[in-house]
């Protein structure tokens, strides 16, 4: 085990007023993630393998990091897990729980921080608090977007139903 590296892991949750199916469907295509996570600039499925995804993360050039991740586990309507296979070492999973209101989404991300003075510096700068705050804001943005989309769809469907008569 390499003790020179530090692991940073955070989990955040959000209650969504939509069905587990609706929430899972939006997360299943990882190319949607930049819509609610501003620091994720792009996520692209690699053509040679449906379970490989290329991520670009950061502010803007030169402060961009790229990595490729593989979906390691997929349990429909329950869990999507991934782990990096190149680039920034990280892993994570999205879990979906049915609730009275609709769906509770739990997102867990873990990153290997560099060892030595750089890792200590990042730790002292409060990277863990920054990551947790950023994840909470992203999940709140996700919640607002999906609830607005589902509401728009139901209004459109209801209007269509009324116009038939």
């Amino acid at each position: 085990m390499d003790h020179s590296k530090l692991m940073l892991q955070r989990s955040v949750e959000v209650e969504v007023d939509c069905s587990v199916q609706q929430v899972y469907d939006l997360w299943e295509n990882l190319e949607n993630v930049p819509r609610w996570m501003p620091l994720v600039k792009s996520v692209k499925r690699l053509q040679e393998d449906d379970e490989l995804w290329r991520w670009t993360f950061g502010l803007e050039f030169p402060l961009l990091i790229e990595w490729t991740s593989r979906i390691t586990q997929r349990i429909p309507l329950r869990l999507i897990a991934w782990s990096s296979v190149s680039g920034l070492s990280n892993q994570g999973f999205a879990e979906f729980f049915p609730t009275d209101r609709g769906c509770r989404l739990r997102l867990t991300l873990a990153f290997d921080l560099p060892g030595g003075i750089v890792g200590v510096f990042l730790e002292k700068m409060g990277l863990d608090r920054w990551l947790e705050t950023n994840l909470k804001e992203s999940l709140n943005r996700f919640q607002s977007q999906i609830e607005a989309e589902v509401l728009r769809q139901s209004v459109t469907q209801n209007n269509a139903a009324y116009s038939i008569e």
Side-chain angles (χ1 to χ4, degrees):
M1 182 159 178
D2 183 358
H3 292 288
S4 65
K5 290 200 184 265
L6 301 166
M7 170 70 71
L8 173 61
Q9 179 173 317
R10 286 291 173 270
S11 289
V12 295
E13 293 185 5
V14 67
E15 292 280 336
V16 183
D17 197 10
C18 298
S19 72
V20 171
Q21 181 79 57
Q22 291 165 323
V23 174
Y24 181 87
D25 286 351
L26 199 52
W27 268 91
E28 188 176 30
N29 180 356
L30 295 177
E31 291 181 359
N32 287 320
V33 171
R35 292 172 51 192
W36 56 83
M37 288 188 146
L39 288 177
V40 177
K41 296 306 177 197
S42 70
V43 183
K44 298 284 180 222
R45 185 190 308 256
L46 298 185
Q47 289 181 342
E48 64 271 14
D49 186 332
D50 278 356
E51 298 294 0
L52 280 178
W53 300 80
R54 185 75 179 158
W55 296 71
T56 304
F57 176 90
L59 300 172
E60 57 188 47
F61 183 81
L63 300 173
L64 289 176
I65 300 168
E66 290 192 331
W67 69 87
T68 301
S69 69
R70 174 177 296 285
I71 300 294
T72 55
Q73 190 175 17
R74 193 185 295 267
I75 303 171
L77 307 182
R78 181 72 184 90
L79 174 84
I80 301 170
W82 60 89
S83 184
S84 63
V85 294
S86 71
L88 178 67
S89 180
N90 70 87
Q91 58 196 26
F93 49 93
E95 297 172 280
F96 309 86
F97 304 96
T99 65
D100 293 343
R101 183 176 165 197
C103 178
R104 187 172 85 245
L105 168 64
R106 179 188 304 142
L107 178 63
T108 301
L109 291 181
F111 293 91
D112 286 337
L113 296 178
I117 196 154
V118 173
V120 170
F121 174 75
L122 290 172
E123 225 178 2
K124 292 212 180 310
M125 290 292 297
L127 185 64
D128 55 344
R129 284 187 308 281
W130 176 84
L131 178 62
E132 188 167 340
T133 299
N134 200 279
L135 290 177
K136 282 181 183 171
E137 288 172 357
S138 293
L139 282 193
N140 289 338
R141 194 174 295 111
F142 169 80
Q143 175 193 9
S144 300
Q145 287 179 7
I146 189 172
E147 287 177 358
E149 281 180 29
V150 168
L151 180 64
R152 261 197 316 274
Q153 289 170 359
S154 69
V155 167
T156 303
Q157 288 168 352
N158 287 340
N159 288 344
Y162 292 126
S163 64
I164 291 171
E165 296 175 36

